[in-house]
Amino acid sequence: MAKKSLISIGDFTKDEILHVLETAKEFEQNKVQNFLEGKVIASLFFEPSTRTRLSFETAINRLGAKVIGFSDASNTSQSKGETLKDTIKMVSNYVDMIVMRHPLEGSSRYASEVASVPVVNAGDGANQHPSQTLLDLYSIMQTQGTLDGLTINMVGDLKYGRTTHSLLQAMSHFKTKFIFTSPDELKMPKEYKAFLDSKGIKYEETDSLEEHLNDCDILYMTRVQQERFTDPMEYERVKDVYRLTASMLDNVKPGMKILHPLPRITEIDQDVDDTPYAYYFKQAENGLYVRMAIISYLLGYR
């Protein structure tokens, strides 16, 4: 297979998405695989991360490969003024794949164009986070038994939330209805709504968390991301706009599940953790199996 990267969820066809999800199911049943022994994969995190970085690095180790890289760009030659192009070209000489998170939108696409090895986008600013999207799809499929005919309520930061942007695009392959719950300052950007319009996919917008709690299959909560705001006052106005508590879930669908890309701040109360609807910690675990599947697929092994 020619070099293939995963920068946007649009880089995978519907068939490729379903293939990765099926492979992830196999890895969940058998977590230890060694068929990438002898491979080296770079983990380049120019922006802080816990779940994404650790699950990618665990996935690499579970597959038998070795990890090199960094979790703090201040310890690299970038702090001396080295360009991203030079960093990527240099690292490409040493590894078989690059996993990269960067705060600048478009950085991962650029890296894939200059790298001689596959690049996986682990998040580029407010743009895309395709591996998170694939683990979200896996979690939805595992809890609902299908990806078709579902109602997904996205709540919180829909303006800067790269996870919601990627999930929206991925679910366009399926018969999905969306509810966008956000304050005016954090509404889903026009280009994503135009994308849904072009696909004939229905959506509603509201600023009320309670309005559609009882008629969705997936409640996709997000935090308000302080690091994306240039105006501190704007962040202060919206940071605590929604708070989900267990008492609000009395009349939801029996099979409804709550997802969250994490970390959570105040948007989901801890009393929700003990309800049968909370799935966000298992969702994070699913990231390991999905990222094992992504890596093995892009390297031509599965």
Side-chain angles (χ1 to χ4, degrees):
M1 184 171 72
K3 186 192 86 166
K4 183 178 180 69
S5 294
L6 177 59
I7 307 304
S8 161
I9 194 62
D11 293 332
F12 277 7
T13 65
K14 179 180 179 180
D15 285 345
E16 286 178 308
I17 288 171
L18 293 175
H19 172 75
V20 166
L21 300 186
E22 283 301 312
T23 306
K25 190 182 298 185
E26 295 175 17
F27 286 137
E28 182 169 8
Q29 294 166 356
N30 185 3
K31 300 179 180 65
V32 180
Q33 307 274 349
N34 291 308
F35 56 83
L36 291 189
E37 188 173 359
K39 298 290 184 182
V40 179
I41 297 175
S43 172
L44 309 183
F45 278 71
F46 296 85
E47 189 178 48
S49 171
T50 302
R51 277 152 296 279
T52 302
R53 182 176 65 85
L54 292 180
S55 64
F56 261 118
E57 293 183 2
T58 302
I60 293 165
N61 282 301
R62 294 280 193 191
L63 292 168
K66 297 289 193 296
V67 183
I68 65 168
F70 53 81
S71 59
D72 185 350
S74 65
N75 295 328
T76 74
S77 291
Q78 290 256 308
S79 64
K80 303 174 185 176
E82 183 175 67
T83 65
L84 179 61
K85 176 182 179 180
D86 287 0
T87 298
I88 296 301
K89 290 187 77 68
M90 180 273 297
V91 173
S92 293
N93 293 329
Y94 305 148
V95 300
D96 300 285
M97 173 182 281
I98 294 172
V99 176
M100 187 178 98
R101 170 170 288 190
H102 198 285
L104 182 65
E105 293 182 29
S107 55
S108 292
R109 180 69 65 192
Y110 176 70
S112 71
E113 292 169 354
V114 300
S116 58
V117 297
V119 175
V120 179
N121 179 9
D124 61 334
N127 185 29
Q128 289 271 339
H129 196 351
S131 69
Q132 176 72 44
T133 302
L134 287 163
L135 77 88
D136 291 343
L137 292 178
Y138 185 72
S139 298
I140 293 169
M141 181 174 279
Q142 292 295 84
T143 61
Q144 306 301 313
T146 183
L147 294 175
D148 279 310
L150 301 176
T151 298
I152 299 178
N153 186 353
M154 296 180 171
V155 180
D157 184 355
L158 308 187
K159 179 178 181 180
Y160 301 110
R162 59 194 172 199
T163 60
T164 61
H165 301 163
S166 293
L167 182 58
L168 175 155
Q169 290 178 300
M171 289 300 296
S172 70
H173 292 296
F174 308 95
K175 300 180 184 70
T176 308
K177 177 184 175 182
F178 289 102
I179 297 159
F180 298 141
T181 304
S182 66
D184 285 342
E185 297 93 332
L186 296 175
K187 280 192 170 185
M188 182 66 69
K190 291 179 180 178
E191 60 264 32
Y192 292 104
K193 290 185 283 187
F195 172 80
L196 293 180
D197 290 336
S198 72
K199 300 282 188 179
I201 297 173
K202 295 180 180 179
Y203 60 87
E204 295 181 42
E205 293 184 278
T206 181
D207 60 4
S208 168
L209 176 57
E210 290 83 358
E211 184 176 356
H212 288 289
L213 274 182
N214 299 338
D215 54 11
C216 64
D217 301 294
I218 295 293
L219 183 64
Y220 195 93
M221 300 291 295
T222 67
R223 71 183 173 93
V224 178
Q225 303 175 83
Q226 183 176 10
E227 64 269 27
R228 306 294 175 212
F229 285 78
T230 54
D231 181 352
M233 294 301 294
E234 183 184 4
Y235 171 72
E236 289 297 321
R237 281 197 302 272
V238 298
K239 67 176 183 177
D240 297 320
V241 65
Y242 300 122
R243 186 183 184 94
L244 182 70
T245 65
S247 63
M248 299 166 68
L249 302 172
D250 289 343
N251 296 309
V252 301
K253 290 184 177 183
M256 189 274 280
K257 295 299 178 187
I258 303 162
L259 303 186
H260 193 307
L262 302 178
R264 67 171 164 185
I265 309 301
T266 60
E267 62 278 1
I268 300 178
D269 197 273
Q270 291 194 17
D271 67 1
V272 175
D273 298 353
D274 297 323
T275 71
Y277 312 108
Y279 194 77
Y280 28 89
F281 294 122
K282 174 60 177 169
Q283 176 190 3
E285 178 190 330
N286 289 340
L288 170 61
Y289 317 126
V290 170
R291 287 167 176 137
M292 290 174 73
I294 292 168
I295 291 166
S296 59
Y297 176 66
L298 292 179
L299 288 177
Y301 282 80
R302 287 292 178 96

